Amino acid sequence: MASTAAPASDASSAGPAAVPATPTLGKPLLAASNKGLLTVGIMAAMVMQILDTTIANVALPHMTSALGATSDTITWVLTSYIIATAIALPATGWLSERLGSRNLFLIAVGGFVFASMLCGTAVSLGEMVGFRILQGITAAFINPLSQTAMIDINPPERQAKAMSVWGMGVMVGPILGPVIGGYLTDNFSWRWCFYVNVPVGILTFAILWFLLPSRPRGERKFDFIGFAFVGIAVASFQLMLDRGQNADWFSSWEIVIEGLIAVAALWIAVVHLATAGKPLFDRHLFKNRNLVMGMLFMVIIGISTMAPMALLPPMLQQLFGYPVVDTGMMMAPRGVGVLFTMWLAGQLMGKIDTRIMIAVGLVIFAWSLRQMAAWSLEMDFWPVIIAGFVQGLGMGLVFMPLNSLAFATLDQRYRTDGSSLLNLFRSIGQSAGISMVTVFLARNIQTSHADLVQHITEKTIPGVNVSQLDQLGVASDAVFGMADAMVNQQAAMIAYIDDFYLMAWISVAVLPLVLLLRRPKGKVSVVHAE
């Protein structure tokens, strides 16, 4: 039987106020009969959803011919999922109260599994995009609901450790995605990148069905105007970032229009949320300094953590010639580092100032990026493994303590909304970071190529008369082609190094913001009312 906090846990009640402001020490907000197995189910749902943000990336070339798409249009397989997730995220809190958190979680997992099965059967690009939109909408609810559930089923003194377990899945998922996706694509078919969710999802759904408790329902009204304008702003911004590089950014009217729509919709949304009687997000959320700073840090974390993971696979495959599976294995030590420091942070929470851990994590992360900025084309795979492991150590020390601080001073009734906001800002940061480093990479390759070509003269190539090479006829084309390929390779390596430098400086630049985080009284894991 499903374990519930109270016999009428899904019954209609007085809204958020029905959730007690402070739990009894040693008792969780919601009781679960088998917390260990339920934790496995919650984590499986979350990891399954996180994996799908990256697992399909390596399969895109295989999808192109199967779906009758082009190299430009196939990216909509990724774009449609990201945009749908971003639009649906703000509605999580309202749906959780209206339907009950348990019911919404089950609908989200069931819908995600069904949409994954449909994606695997798609025979055209239109079908795939439609199914990915459905998958993205259902996926949007899984992350915040899983985070809220992990806090709710644990007593206050164990919530920091629960967040460390949850954070491991968030950080390790994107790293494992390309590995699993590459293996399935090479050994089976790209369709198995989606079919793999079906057996895992069915087992996860069964665990949640029997064990997941629910928060009380509420009669909260839906702010359609606020939701619409937040959705338009986020969708336009995501579309601008995704299409910008191919459309030459603001030289294209498409990108200009998308940017203007994003700015206008955001302005209207902010004014509406500040003045409406019943806004989409309770204004008390934005009075909580830790939550607001957490949202800002989530943007920075999205930029700093996802950008290296977006840069490394093409760099290792195109410049160093590693196959897809080997590339994934070389990135796996990053996950080991994340797991270790998240476990360590969970042990240290409450014993030392959490802000110190975040600051140390940022320094370690910046140091790892500085290591990556010293790479060269002559190196073997060990610098990649070592820098990745060190980077994982920094990520673990930042992500989990930051999540705990963001919720430490937040009233429990706002947990679901707070979680959806944190996940939304992290998603925006990831998209912005990937677009930013992609732009700098493309432009720095061109700049570096032009700089390097200027130094190819008789003085820099002893014994070779460059001006007489055209007398070799056909052989001269081969010589010039080889020289150009070498220059392109070196220019690309310089561009990657510049990107690593940029992310290192961003990580250092946000260090002073740690001082703006408020240290809660007592242990960080205890949740206080505002």
Side-chain angles (χ1 to χ4, degrees), residues 261-322:
I261 292 174
V263 172
L266 178 62
W267 172 255
I268 296 173
V270 170
V271 172
H272 175 79
L273 293 175
T275 58
K278 298 288 184 180
L280 181 66
F281 296 107
D282 195 306
R283 283 185 282 273
H284 282 89
L285 283 166
F286 303 100
K287 295 178 181 179
N288 187 291
R289 188 168 72 187
N290 276 12
L291 181 65
V292 172
M293 293 306 302
M295 289 187 283
L296 177 59
F297 267 105
M298 281 298 167
V299 175
I300 305 301
I301 287 175
I303 293 173
S304 300
T305 59
M306 285 304 294
M309 286 189 280
L311 289 175
L312 283 176
M315 187 193 77
L316 294 174
Q317 292 172 42
Q318 296 170 12
L319 295 186
F320 293 87
Y322 291 107

Side-chain angles (χ1 to χ4, degrees), residues 7 84 130-131 218 222 266 272 284 308 313 326 345 363 366 371 382 409 451 461 510:
F131 297 150
F222 185 61
L266 178 62
H272 175 79
H284 282 89
D326 289 354
V363 171
Q371 287 181 306
W382 280 111
T409 56
D451 291 340
I461 310 178
V510 299

Side-chain angles (χ1 to χ4, degrees), residues 43 46 162-172 338 342 399:
M43 290 298 299
M46 190 269 295
M163 281 294 91
S164 69
V165 173
W166 182 86
M168 290 176 191
V170 172
M171 303 307 290
V172 174
V338 170
M342 281 195 168
F399 187 78

Side-chain angles (χ1 to χ4, degrees), residues 82 241 302-303 306-307 310-311 429-439:
I82 293 171
L241 293 175
I303 293 173
M306 285 304 294
L311 289 175
Q430 290 173 352
S431 299
I434 292 172
S435 296
M436 180 183 69
V437 297
T438 302
V439 170

Side-chain angles (χ1 to χ4, degrees), residues 178-199:
V179 181
I180 298 174
Y183 175 80
L184 293 174
T185 302
D186 288 344
N187 293 277
F188 299 96
S189 164
W190 63 265
R191 298 183 185 275
W192 275 97
C193 292
F194 301 104
Y195 287 148
V196 71
N197 291 330
V198 177

Side-chain angles (χ1 to χ4, degrees), residues 475-511:
S476 67
D477 294 335
V479 173
F480 281 120
M482 291 175 60
D484 186 61
M486 293 177 66
V487 170
N488 284 333
Q489 192 178 36
Q490 294 291 342
M493 192 68 221
I494 293 171
Y496 279 112
I497 288 172
D498 289 342
D499 271 357
F500 296 145
Y501 265 122
L502 174 64
M503 287 181 286
W505 281 113
I506 290 175
S507 301
V508 172
V510 299
L511 269 172

